[in-house]
């Protein structure tokens, strides 16, 4: 992947000062080792009138797989060829952002001992990136960069220039121009916004990423009109980290408005309020309810169907009562995140032997799902189109046939209690439907009757006397007669 930074100058203030600001000499080509390959810095042109510094990042696809997304122990995902053959070596992404911060760390901080007066001055800058993934298209690119003082040219890259009818790809050729920004500010903009546009970080996002975001976003992120989108995407849509970052950004904004220090604003809250108990998130209550129901059923070998990013799998691993845990999802990206969350590549052998992750669609039968004590469908069914529910029903209850099946789904009646949810809207944009308590009970009752299960219902979260709980859970248990028949069939 490739990026160039150009500037112009005069004999009194030569453009080659760019070399001092970047701490890289224009007469030398330099190479820097990174965790994922080699970063080269070279100058295609360097004279008093115009100077261009180029950063070329050679990505080692094998190293990328081994360090961040390797198969590791426990049957982690990413065994497909796509992990080696993809756009990562060519398209600007979080890999390039990390290389920028490593190679130009002093420049990003605005430190230049040789030309200190130039470090704080705006420069005529032109930045070019030939291939930039832009999830949101050229319009989003402009919405992100233009408020920061850039003139933006974002030309879509065609899927195939010989077949224009195929349309445009998700990549753009980006040119940024400005005469009002310092080099340090420009580098910090790129460091944050490149992974935001790609929307797929190559490494696991932890709490220290909040500090990185706020450091790089100092002076511009608190007032950016797309602050929420930037924060959410930079933190890989992890809501807890996003909320933490947004709260800290709001403190910065209030401090600037009040012409005071952030610490003064933060300490203005009475000490007693810090002792107030925070409500337990619904997702945590849901996991606790599921684990309690699994333990009550006596299950030891558990399927998490539609495991997503592995939160439930992670919670089950903490309890030795569950001897085998299998996470299944149709999304390979979700499985990759789950693998990183669980740290499967660094997990001990004994612990790793308890967990497996694999890709499968619940719309089709899969023999790998047979023979387990219990299966969990947590917030899964509402993501399917209603005509596809019978296929899921047969795959789980008809073919896999675990002794116990737990199904949780939102209770649409409770939506009126969410102040931030507009009337008539579902809780998530990907929900195909949300059922009332009566609709869920009718569906579950018919499923149980067709496949030889009995079903009981339990609330998850506060059980409102008028509209019920926010989440409803059905616990399917295979009837005694059905269990006996199944054992006899196995014996035969």
């Amino acid at each position: 992947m490739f990026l160039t930074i150009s500037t112009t100058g005069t004999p009194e203030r030569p453009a080659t000062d760019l070399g001092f600001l970047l701490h890289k000499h224009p007469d030398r080509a330099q190479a820097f080792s990174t965790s994922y390959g080699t970063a080269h810095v070279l100058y295609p042109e360097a004279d008093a009138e115009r100077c261009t510094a180029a950063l070329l990042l050679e990505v080692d696809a094998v190293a990328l797989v081994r360090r961040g997304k390797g198969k590791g122990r426990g049957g982690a995902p990413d065994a497909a060829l796509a992990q080696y053959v993809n756009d990562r070596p060519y398209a600007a992404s979080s890999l390039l952002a990390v290389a920028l911060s490593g190679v130009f760390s002093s420049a990003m901080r605005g430190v230049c001992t040789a030309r200190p007066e130039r470090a704080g001055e705006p420069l005529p800058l032109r930045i070019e990136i030939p291939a930039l993934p832009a999830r949101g298209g050229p319009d989003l690119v402009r919405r992100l960069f233009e408020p920061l003082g850039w003139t933006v040219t974002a030309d879509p890259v065609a899927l195939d220039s010989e077949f224009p009818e195929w349309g445009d790809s998700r990549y753009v050729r980006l040119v940024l121009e400005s005469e009002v920004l310092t080099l340090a500010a420009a580098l910090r903009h790129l460091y944050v916004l490149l992974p935001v546009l790609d929307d797929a970080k190559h490494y696991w996002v932890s709490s220290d990423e909040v500090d990185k975001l706020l450091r790089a976003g100092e002076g511009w992120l608190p007032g950016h009109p797309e602050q929420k989108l930037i924060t959410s995407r930079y933190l890989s849509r992890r809501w807890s980290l996003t909320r933490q970052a947004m709260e800290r950004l709001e403190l910065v904004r209030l401090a600037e408005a009040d012409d005071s220090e952030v610490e003064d604003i933060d300490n203005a809250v009475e000490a007693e309020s810090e002792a107030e108990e925070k409500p337990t998130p619904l997702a945590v209550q849901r996991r606790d309810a599921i684990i309690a129901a699994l333990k009550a059923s006596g299950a030891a070998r558990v399927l998490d169907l539609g495991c997503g990013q592995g939160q439930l799998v992670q919670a089950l691993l903490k309890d030795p009562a569950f001897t085998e845990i299998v996470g299944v999802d149709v999304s390979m990206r979700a499985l990759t995140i789950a693998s990183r969350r669980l740290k499967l590549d660094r997990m001990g052998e004994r612990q790793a032997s308890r967990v497996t992750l694999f890709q499968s669609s619940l719309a089709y039968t899969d023999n790998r799902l047979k023979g387990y004590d219990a299966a969990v469908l947590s917030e899964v069914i509402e993501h399917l189109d209603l005509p596809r529910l019978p296929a899921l029903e047969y795959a789980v209850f008809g073919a896999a046939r675990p002794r116990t099946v737990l199904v949780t789904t939102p209770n649409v009646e409770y939506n009126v209690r969410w102040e931030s949810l507009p009337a008539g809207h579902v809780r998530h944009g990907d929900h195909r439907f949300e059922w009332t308590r009566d609709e869920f009970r009718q569906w579950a009752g018919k499923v149980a009757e067709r496949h030889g299960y009995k079903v009981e219902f339990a609330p998850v979260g506060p059980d409102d006397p008028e509209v019920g709980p926010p989440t409803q859970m059905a616990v399917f248990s295979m009837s005694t007669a059905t269990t006996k028949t199944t054992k006899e069939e196995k014996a035969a």
Side-chain angles (χ1 to χ4, degrees), residues 205-390:
V205 174
S206 56
S207 57
D208 62 345
E209 290 295 302
V210 175
D211 294 325
K212 293 179 185 178
L213 173 63
L214 296 182
R215 282 198 300 269
E218 184 177 358
W220 63 270
L221 183 56
H224 198 291
E226 298 292 342
Q227 177 198 101
K228 187 173 182 180
L229 179 143
I230 293 170
T231 304
S232 175
R233 284 196 177 189
Y234 183 86
L235 298 171
S236 295
R237 304 178 191 273
R238 293 191 61 190
W239 69 267
S240 59
L241 297 182
T242 301
R243 183 179 62 183
Q244 179 185 339
M246 293 295 291
E247 289 173 351
R248 291 172 62 179
L249 286 168
E250 179 64 12
L251 284 174
V252 172
R253 189 190 67 79
L254 291 173
E256 290 176 349
D258 198 38
D259 194 22
S260 60
E261 297 296 325
V262 172
E263 291 77 11
D264 297 334
I265 297 291
D266 200 16
N267 291 335
V269 182
E270 294 181 4
E272 294 87 287
S273 66
E274 296 180 2
E276 292 178 2
E277 186 177 351
K278 294 183 179 180
T280 304
L282 180 60
V284 175
Q285 296 182 61
R286 187 161 49 239
R287 286 196 293 273
D288 290 346
I290 289 170
I291 292 172
L294 288 172
K295 297 191 76 166
S297 73
R301 303 174 66 241
V302 180
L303 296 166
D304 183 7
L305 304 177
C307 67
Q309 299 181 9
Q311 292 94 332
L312 178 59
V313 174
Q314 186 177 45
L316 291 171
L317 272 172
K318 295 177 181 178
D319 193 325
F322 303 109
T323 59
E324 184 178 353
I325 304 146
V326 178
V328 181
D329 204 284
V330 72
S331 167
M332 186 59 80
R333 182 181 176 190
L335 290 171
T336 299
I337 295 173
S339 175
R340 291 204 294 259
R341 174 189 293 276
L342 298 170
K343 298 182 176 62
L344 288 179
D345 57 339
R346 298 191 293 277
M347 189 178 287
E349 293 288 349
R350 180 176 296 180
Q351 188 79 332
S353 66
R354 295 174 57 211
V355 60
T356 304
L357 302 178
F358 64 77
Q359 184 183 31
S360 183
S361 171
L362 299 180
Y364 304 95
T365 58
D366 189 332
N367 288 332
R368 293 176 294 178
L369 304 182
K370 293 182 178 180
Y372 287 87
D373 299 330
V376 178
L377 291 159
S378 179
E379 310 301 284
V380 171
I381 60 172
E382 65 272 11
H383 292 272
L384 275 70
D385 292 317
L386 282 170
R388 298 182 69 84
L389 267 185

Side-chain angles (χ1 to χ4, degrees), residues 415-416 418-427:
N415 287 359
V416 296
W418 301 114
E419 295 180 0
S420 59
L421 187 65
H425 284 62
V426 294
R427 296 183 197 177

Side-chain angles (χ1 to χ4, degrees), residues 11 13 23 35 100 148 158 255 303 338 375 386 404 422 471:
R13 304 178 77 80
H23 297 259
S35 300
L100 275 173
L148 302 174
L303 296 166
L386 282 170
T404 302
T471 296

Side-chain angles (χ1 to χ4, degrees), residues 55 94-109 187-188 190-192 203 212 216 234:
L55 176 63
S94 57
L95 288 167
L96 186 59
V98 170
L100 275 173
S101 68
V103 175
F104 299 137
S105 58
S106 296
M108 191 175 292
R109 296 195 308 271
L187 292 174
R188 290 197 298 268
L190 293 171
Y191 176 75
V192 173
Y203 57 88
K212 293 179 185 178
Y234 183 86

Side-chain angles (χ1 to χ4, degrees), residues 134-150:
R135 295 181 188 273
D139 179 63
L140 179 59
V141 179
R142 287 187 285 268
R143 282 162 39 208
L144 294 182
F145 282 102
E146 285 180 348
L148 302 174
W150 292 103

